[in-house]
Amino acid sequence: MPQQSADFERKKGLAVLLSFVMLAMTAGYVFFATEFLQQLVNLDKQAFYLRVSMMVIPGLIATPILLMSIYIMLRRHFGNLPAQHFALWVRVSLVLLALAFMIRIVLGFWLPNYVAANGFTQCSKLENPSPFASQVWVRQPQYCHELSYLVNVEVLEWFDEQQAAGAKPSTDEVAAQIELFIAEHKQRYQ
């Protein structure tokens, strides 16, 4: 009997820990989604570059699935889980996933046109090749250097620093900084 009690306590502790992790993930995702939506609303105030994620809004739509998972997990470990609650969770999850998928498709057509209409040009050379990575849009096409894909992480970090400082570097300054990063990259790896 003590073995069963210890096993139950371990499972209970794990369920609570996972619940807190899922709550933290949900809160973080809501924060990032809110920040992204504020960026879109204030697009004309963006300094010189922007990261656009096609997955933020669909992910926000799907976040209730995490909250429902917490409920299911806690009910399963701390009491009984009525079958109708689980069935409802499955139906709601499927609806939310379908809605998130449809919103992702719509965003794929609408969002690039909206950002381009506000004076930005997409720079695929600065993007991560991951399918879930954000698209990078720049105010000036000259910011998208031909070899910037070699040092895209460094360039984006420098862009973030410039925007945080409120600086608006000229195209010559951006080109010089990218050339410096490329020279450092070649020196390091040759």
Side-chain angles (χ1 to χ4, degrees), residues 5 26 55 64 72 74 85 96 98 100 108 113 119 126-127 132 134 163 166:
S5 177
T26 303
M55 298 305 292
I72 297 293
L74 291 175
H85 287 200
L96 288 174
N113 293 328
L126 287 174
E127 295 172 6
F132 296 107
S134 299
Q163 274 195 182

Side-chain angles (χ1 to χ4, degrees), residues 84-153:
Q84 66 267 22
H85 287 200
F86 186 74
L88 176 65
W89 175 75
V90 170
R91 284 193 298 272
V92 169
S93 295
L94 291 175
V95 168
L96 288 174
L97 288 175
L99 182 63
F101 183 69
M102 288 187 302
I103 288 174
R104 169 57 182 96
I105 291 171
V106 169
L107 281 176
F109 290 109
W110 174 77
L111 197 54
N113 293 328
Y114 176 73
V115 174
N118 282 285
F120 286 88
T121 304
Q122 187 176 4
C123 182
S124 61
K125 294 172 184 70
L126 287 174
E127 295 172 6
N128 188 329
S130 166
F132 296 107
S134 299
Q135 294 178 346
V136 176
W137 293 76
V138 292
R139 273 272 182 221
Q140 301 292 329
Q142 296 86 351
Y143 291 171
C144 193
H145 192 279
E146 195 63 33
L147 296 175
S148 59
Y149 68 91
L150 293 171
V151 289
N152 63 347
V153 173

Side-chain angles (χ1 to χ4, degrees), residues 26-54:
T26 303
Y29 208 86
V30 168
F31 172 77
F32 288 123
T34 304
E35 191 175 89
F36 175 72
L37 290 173
Q38 286 175 344
Q39 257 185 340
L40 286 182
V41 169
N42 299 319
L43 200 55
D44 57 334
K45 295 178 185 172
Q46 290 297 322
F48 62 92
Y49 108 102
L50 175 69
R51 292 185 198 194
V52 176
S53 173
M54 298 293 182

